[in-house]
């Protein structure tokens, strides 16, 4: 970083975000690659880290410039396609032209705030307002950085990253061999030799060189602490265009992309300047297509020139825009559309009527859009209402042609107007259906149903960066086996100092948020405080809340109760309960030290009552010491008349805590005689160890329940964040009241209104 003279951010409490775009990978091909083992890192994120895979509707056109315009600036359908006629210059343009991309981005910037402000961006169409731009259409900046290096610094930089240099060289050599083999196959299949030769260097540069440089840059930016980083990995999209989205060569590139994601994700987890989230998404998919010139023997430009001499055609992909030399009357548009469909094998032609309505012409008839879109796109289109609306908007775009030719209709095989085997930009179900892979704890807009679109991802990203609160949102959590049950978490947070030695309360909060428990029992906050005082009472009396607990609760945005067990000398073993509903203290206090063990740290317990789902529940939280005789004395005290053995203990009870006792210990066995250990007796479940988080070797963190409960599920998370956030692993248990107990437990008072599950 110093050799390249790159600025470094100061450590910040604000979160960071890394957005990784896998260009052109549809949801279907993503699922297929997961099943075939091509994406082991993404599979790990789903299975172990709790990431959720969402269908991602691209909007129209289903192309990168439109998706990034909506994501970066909040503007839908920023351009009609990758190629169109620009009114300012009156010529056909392509979005990889620097001056064109810059002009379009200026228009976008006037309509919305940039998402990537202060961050960095790699291999994109737009800069997104990023401070550092690399390999994007408007700006190429890495060349400037490399020129700024002196020769000695450049040599040292190469030696420092020698392993990466060797890997890139090896991958390039392998890719060249595969490209030559692919070239020979393409020639034998009758494809153009000139185009196949041009594809070899393009394939090596895009699939290897650009991908590796972007990955190295993103890893450096994470280490520097930039607030937001976006990179676009193009290799799959490039291969899928040439050989088809389901081809072996296209799927081969996914293993390299998966490896890059693994390196970036690990760098984000090791980052010391910010707490990063890593989101992965694909902007669109691709349809497997027939090339129109191979299908009909003529190009679309030749067909249009025959029907409309002097007309221009912009055709990159399955959408072609026709710009006649003079405006066409409605009757002429309709006649040309019918001729193109019936005589020249165009699946669908759209045009805008003088009254503003959009008409579609297919072999099945003529239809109004969006009202009759199902007749054109099919009733089974996964995004039918949304894509119908966006199709009408696209046809009315000021840069669209008088006729819009579509290579996709629900009743026809897909075609693309250039010579390619995979295409996107149109309204097909595969090309409009990407994926978004988001970590648990992410807040998304409340309107989100079964899928996301770029605007939803933008709002979620702005919220994650702390820039704009969601007016109405919901948090993605790890799914509950019983939506109507109770979820409890017991967590020794080790003073919010993780296994890597970092003090980071926000990591603890994020682990909790991923599971969204109804009640959290926290041990070892290591902060002096008041026993059993509600947060409001503590602040009203002028007593400051413990900073670490305050940071956790502010992140969770819940009502809570803080209970300190003890603060003695330099040791603190404070306990806290955090709940989504108000808590009522039954007892909070110190446990008596053993008479023959003077000098042992004093321990405590917190016992409270909470009303959830119409029932009154009791929960006790404690953290016992390391001395065996003192632990046993404390358990006897907790089971005695002043605590759980007294008249106030009635109804469902949950006991949480770090007991510092394994299942072989006397303390554990004493509790197990009266209550049920949630990790024992559950079908198809083996008890998990909880300490230490990095290398668990003993089970000392426990949750016990009374006979009133049925245990539905138990989890001891081993996700990377949970491993790093504390030296203990949390215990998460899903409970439901046993049917026999529901009739005899008195219902609670009317529940207090709250923002359950709100972001």
């Amino acid at each position: 970083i110093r050799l390249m003279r790159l600025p470094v951010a100061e450590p910040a409490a604000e979160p960071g975000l890394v957005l990784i775009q896998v260009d052109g990978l549809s949801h279907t091909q993503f699922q297929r690659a997961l099943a075939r083992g091509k994406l082991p890192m993404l599979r790990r994120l789903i299975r172990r880290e709790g990431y959720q895979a969402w269908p991602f509707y691209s909007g129209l056109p289903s192309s990168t410039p439109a998706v990034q315009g909506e994501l970066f600036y909040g503007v839908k359908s920023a351009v009609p396609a990758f190629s169109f006629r620009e009114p300012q210059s009156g010529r056909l343009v392509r979005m990889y032209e620097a001056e064109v991309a810059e002009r379009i981005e200026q228009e976008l910037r006037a309509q919305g705030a940039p998402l990537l402000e202060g961050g960095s961006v790699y291999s994109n169409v737009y800069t997104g307002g990023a401070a550092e731009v690399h390999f994007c259409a408007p700006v190429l900046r890495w060349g400037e950085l490399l020129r700024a290096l002196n020769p000695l610094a450049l040599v040292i930089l190469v030696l420092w990253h020698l392993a990466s240099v060797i890997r890139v060289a090896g991958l390039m050599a392998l890719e060249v061999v595969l490209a030559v083999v692919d070239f020979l196959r393409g020639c034998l299949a009758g494809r153009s030799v000139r185009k196949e030769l041009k594809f070899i260097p393009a394939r090596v540069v895009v699939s290897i060189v650009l991908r590796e440089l972007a990955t190295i840059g993103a890893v450096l930016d994470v280490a520097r602490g930039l607030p937001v980083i976006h990179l676009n990995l193009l290799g799959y999209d490039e291969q899928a265009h040439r050989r088809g989205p389901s081809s072996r060569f296209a799927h081969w590139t996914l293993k390299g992309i998966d490896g890059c994601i693994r390196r970036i994700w690990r760098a984000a987890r090791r980052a010391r300047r910010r707490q990063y989230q890593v989101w992965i998404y694909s902007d669109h998919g691709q349809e497997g297509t027939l090339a129109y010139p191979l299908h009909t023997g003529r190009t679309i430009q030749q067909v249009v020139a025959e029907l409309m001499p002097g007309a221009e055609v912009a055709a990159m992909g399955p959408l072609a825009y026709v710009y006649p030399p003079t405006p066409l009357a409605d009757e002429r548009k309709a006649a040309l559309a019918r001729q193109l469909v019936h005589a020249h094998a165009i699946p669908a032609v759209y045009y805008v009527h003088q009254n503003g309505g959009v008409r579609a012409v297919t072999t099945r008839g003529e239809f109004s859009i969006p009202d009759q879109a199902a007749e054109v796109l099919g009733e089974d289109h996964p995004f039918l209402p949304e894509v119908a609306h966006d199709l009408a908007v696209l046809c009315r775009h000021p840069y669209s042609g008088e006729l819009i030719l579509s290579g996709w209709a629900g009743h026809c095989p897909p075609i693309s107007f250039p010579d390619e085997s995979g295409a996107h930009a149109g309204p097909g179900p595969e090309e409009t259906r990407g994926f978004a892979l988001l970590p648990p704890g992410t807040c998304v807009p409340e309107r989100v149903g079964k899928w996301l679109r770029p605007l939803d991802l933008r709002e979620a990203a702005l919220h994650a960066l702390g820039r704009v609160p969601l007016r109405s949102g919901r948090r993605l959590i790890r799914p509950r086996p019983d939506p109507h049950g109770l979820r409890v978490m017991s967590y020794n947070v080790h003073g919010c100092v993780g296994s890597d030695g970092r003090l980071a309360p926000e990591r603890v909060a994020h682990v909790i948020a991923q599971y969204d428990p109804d009640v959290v029992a926290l041990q070892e906050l290591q902060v002096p405080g008041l026993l059993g005082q509600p947060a409001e009472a503590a602040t009203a009396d002028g007593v400051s809340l413990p900073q670490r607990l305050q940071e956790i609760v502010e992140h969770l945005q819940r009502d809570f109760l803080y209970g300190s067990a003890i603060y003695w000398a330099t040791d603190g073993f404070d306990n806290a309960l955090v709940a989504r509903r108000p808590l009522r203290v039954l007892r909070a206090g110190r446990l008596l030290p053993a008479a023959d063990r003077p000098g042992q740290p004093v321990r405590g317990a917190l016992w409270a009552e909470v009303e959830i789902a119409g029932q009154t529940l009791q929960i006790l939280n404690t953290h016992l010491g390391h001395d065996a005789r003192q632990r046993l004395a404390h358990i006897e005290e907790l089971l005695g008349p002043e605590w759980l053995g007294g008249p106030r203990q009635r109804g469902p009870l949950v006991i949480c805590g770090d007991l510092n006792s394994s299942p072989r210990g006397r303390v554990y066995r004493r509790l197990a005689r009266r209550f049920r250990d949630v990790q024992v007796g559950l079908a198809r479940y083996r008890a998990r160890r909880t300490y230490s988080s990095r290398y668990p070797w003993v089970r000392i963190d426990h949750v016990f329940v009374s006979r009133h409960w049925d245990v539905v599920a138990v989890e001891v998370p081993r996700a990377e964040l949970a491993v790093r956030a504390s030296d203990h692993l949390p215990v998460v248990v899903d409970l439901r009241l046993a049917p026999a107990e529901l009739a005899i437990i008195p219902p609670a008072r009317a529940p207090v209104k709250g923002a359950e599950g709100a972001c």
Side-chain angles (χ1 to χ4, degrees), residues 24-34 39 52-57 236 282 284-286 383 429-437 450-451:
L25 183 61
S26 73
H27 190 273
T28 301
Q29 298 301 330
F30 164 67
Q31 295 290 350
R32 186 173 298 172
L34 281 177
L39 299 169
Q52 296 183 22
W54 286 70
F56 183 79
Y57 168 58
Y236 171 83
S282 63
H284 53 77
Q286 286 200 25
F383 312 115
E430 282 297 300
E431 57 193 326
T432 56
R433 193 168 183 244
F435 72 91
L437 200 58
K450 296 181 179 180
W451 42 268

Side-chain angles (χ1 to χ4, degrees), residues 68 77 80 275 286 328-330 370 418 427 434 463 482 525 598 731:
Q68 290 188 354
S77 301
Q275 178 67 34
Q286 286 200 25
L328 302 176
D330 287 346
H463 175 78
D482 184 356
L525 283 163
V731 180

Side-chain angles (χ1 to χ4, degrees), residues 24 130 150 229 369 415 418 465 495 528 600 641:
N150 60 61
I229 302 159
I369 303 297
I415 64 170
L465 291 167
Q600 288 290 327

Side-chain angles (χ1 to χ4, degrees), residues 251-303:
H251 277 246
W252 159 260
T253 63
L254 292 176
K255 294 196 73 172
I257 289 172
D258 185 79
C260 291
I261 293 173
R262 181 180 65 251
R263 286 151 58 194
I264 295 169
W265 187 83
R266 287 180 175 174
R269 284 291 171 260
R270 293 193 301 265
R272 304 190 70 86
R273 290 183 170 86
R274 288 183 190 271
Q275 178 67 34
Y276 281 98
Q277 292 187 48
V278 178
W279 297 1
I280 302 109
Y281 77 100
S282 63
D283 52 343
H284 53 77
Q286 286 200 25
E287 300 281 348
T289 57
L290 297 171
Y292 185 78
L294 299 179
H295 182 54
T296 63
R298 295 201 298 173
T299 67
I300 190 62
Q301 288 82 0
Q302 291 171 332
V303 170

Side-chain angles (χ1 to χ4, degrees), residues 15-19 70-72 114-116 227-230 277 279 281 438 442-445 447 452-470:
L17 181 62
V18 181
L19 289 160
E70 187 173 338
L71 175 62
F72 293 168
L115 174 65
L116 306 181
V228 58
I229 302 159
H230 185 285
Q277 292 187 48
W279 297 1
Y281 77 100
L438 304 178
T442 303
C443 279
V444 298
R447 65 175 178 271
L452 299 164
R453 68 173 295 153
L455 190 60
D456 301 322
L457 199 63
R458 169 184 170 82
E459 292 184 16
L462 289 171
H463 175 78
L465 291 167
R467 296 182 188 173
V468 178
L470 285 177

Side-chain angles (χ1 to χ4, degrees), residues 95-396:
M95 285 302 297
Y96 54 66
E97 298 174 27
E99 65 277 6
V100 176
E102 189 171 2
R103 280 198 296 270
I104 295 296
E105 187 159 19
Q106 287 175 354
E107 296 176 7
L108 294 173
R109 195 175 287 113
Q111 301 177 66
L115 174 65
L116 306 181
E117 190 173 8
S120 63
V121 64
Y122 295 84
S123 309
N124 285 334
V125 175
Y126 309 120
T127 68
E132 301 181 12
V133 182
H134 312 289
F135 317 125
C136 295
V139 180
L140 292 175
R141 192 173 170 185
W142 265 58
E144 299 174 9
L145 288 173
L146 293 175
R147 284 193 295 272
L149 293 172
N150 60 61
L152 178 60
L154 184 59
V155 171
I156 295 174
L157 182 67
V158 171
L159 292 175
W160 187 264
H161 293 281
L162 186 60
S164 296
V165 172
I166 294 173
R167 181 178 62 251
V168 171
L171 290 172
M172 287 178 63
L174 178 60
E175 196 68 28
V176 167
V177 172
L178 293 174
V180 170
V181 173
D182 194 30
F183 162 75
L184 295 175
R185 288 183 175 179
C187 293
L188 292 174
R191 294 185 176 273
S192 167
V193 175
R194 182 177 62 86
K195 290 184 178 180
E196 291 296 318
L197 278 173
K198 288 173 62 178
F199 183 50
I200 293 177
R203 169 176 173 164
V204 173
V205 170
V206 171
S207 298
I208 302 297
V209 179
L210 192 59
R211 182 190 76 197
E212 293 297 319
L213 288 176
T215 300
I216 292 171
V219 169
L220 287 173
D221 292 344
V222 165
R224 295 164 56 206
L226 297 189
V228 58
I229 302 159
H230 185 285
L231 67 157
N232 185 11
L233 303 177
L234 299 162
Y236 171 83
D237 187 69
E238 182 73 16
Q239 298 277 22
H241 275 299
R242 295 297 299 167
R243 297 294 181 251
S246 60
S247 67
R248 288 190 301 168
F249 280 100
H251 277 246
W252 159 260
T253 63
L254 292 176
K255 294 196 73 172
I257 289 172
D258 185 79
C260 291
I261 293 173
R262 181 180 65 251
R263 286 151 58 194
I264 295 169
W265 187 83
R266 287 180 175 174
R269 284 291 171 260
R270 293 193 301 265
R272 304 190 70 86
R273 290 183 170 86
R274 288 183 190 271
Q275 178 67 34
Y276 281 98
Q277 292 187 48
V278 178
W279 297 1
I280 302 109
Y281 77 100
S282 63
D283 52 343
H284 53 77
Q286 286 200 25
E287 300 281 348
T289 57
L290 297 171
Y292 185 78
L294 299 179
H295 182 54
T296 63
R298 295 201 298 173
T299 67
I300 190 62
Q301 288 82 0
Q302 291 171 332
V303 170
V304 171
E306 180 182 298
L307 297 176
M308 288 173 282
E312 292 184 295
V313 181
M316 284 187 69
L319 287 183
Y321 293 90
V322 179
Y323 303 91
T326 58
L328 302 176
D330 287 346
E331 295 78 8
R332 178 62 174 157
K333 291 179 184 178
L336 287 169
R338 296 186 195 107
Q339 197 169 359
L340 286 165
V341 168
H342 295 288
H344 298 285
I346 304 297
V349 177
Y350 301 90
Y351 65 90
V352 180
H353 202 271
Q354 286 182 349
N355 62 11
V358 177
R359 299 289 293 173
V361 179
T362 73
T363 55
R364 293 185 172 182
E366 300 183 18
F367 308 98
S368 175
I369 303 297
D371 298 337
Q372 297 175 299
E375 301 293 334
V376 181
L377 305 177
E379 293 280 358
D380 58 347
H381 196 291
F383 312 115
L384 184 58
E386 197 90 357
V387 78
H389 173 268
D390 289 349
L391 184 57
V393 172
L394 179 67
C395 292
R396 298 189 186 102

Side-chain angles (χ1 to χ4, degrees), residues 540-558:
D541 293 339
V543 180
S544 298
L545 288 176
Q547 182 180 357
R548 296 173 194 176
L549 181 60
Q550 191 173 26
E551 290 181 27
I552 293 172
V553 173
E554 284 177 355
H555 185 89
L556 297 175
Q557 298 179 351
R558 293 179 179 160

